[in-house]
Amino acid sequence: MESREFIDMARKVLDAASGVRERAADEVTDRLSAYSPAQASALATLLSAAAASEKENSALEAELHAILELMSTGHVGLDHVSQLREIRVGELPPELREYVTDLLES
C-alpha cells in the first residue's frame, strides 16, 4: 500500500466520529493483502488503541474484527494489540467480551 493511502487509513481509524472509525475498520479487513508487515502491525496497534477507548459497540465490534483479521496475516502479535487489556471486559455485551478474550488469548 502506498504511503498516502496508509496515512489516510490511519487517519480514518483514529477519526473523532465513531461512524468513520467503524467504516475504516471494515475497510481495513477489505484490503488485508495490500499491507506490508509493518503496515499491518501499525494498523493493528492503532485499532487496538482506538478499541481501548471506544464508546460505541458497533465501532468496537468492527475494530476488534479488523484486529482479528490483521492477526491472521501473521504480521501482528499480541504485543501489537496490548492496549486491548485496558478494555473493561465485564462492561461489554457477551459477544464483544468473547472477541476481546479471544484476541488476548491468541
Side-chain angles (χ1 to χ4, degrees), residues 35-82:
Y35 308 121
S36 69
Q39 289 171 333
S41 61
L43 281 173
T45 300
L46 292 174
L47 284 161
S48 175
S53 60
E54 188 60 67
K55 303 292 184 224
E56 297 294 328
N57 285 344
S58 60
L60 178 58
E61 183 175 8
E63 291 159 352
L64 295 172
H65 178 73
I67 293 166
L68 183 64
E69 292 295 319
L70 286 166
M71 290 182 91
S72 75
T73 67
H75 303 303
V76 176
L78 196 52
D79 57 325
H80 296 114
V81 298
S82 61

Side-chain angles (χ1 to χ4, degrees), residues 5-6 20 63 91:
E5 293 174 294
F6 177 73
V20 174
E63 291 159 352
E91 296 175 7

Side-chain angles (χ1 to χ4, degrees), residues 78 81-85 89 99-106:
L78 196 52
V81 298
S82 61
Q83 295 91 339
L84 294 177
R85 289 188 182 101
V89 178
Y99 243 136
V100 174
T101 303
D102 289 347
L103 284 166
L104 290 174
E105 293 177 354
S106 297

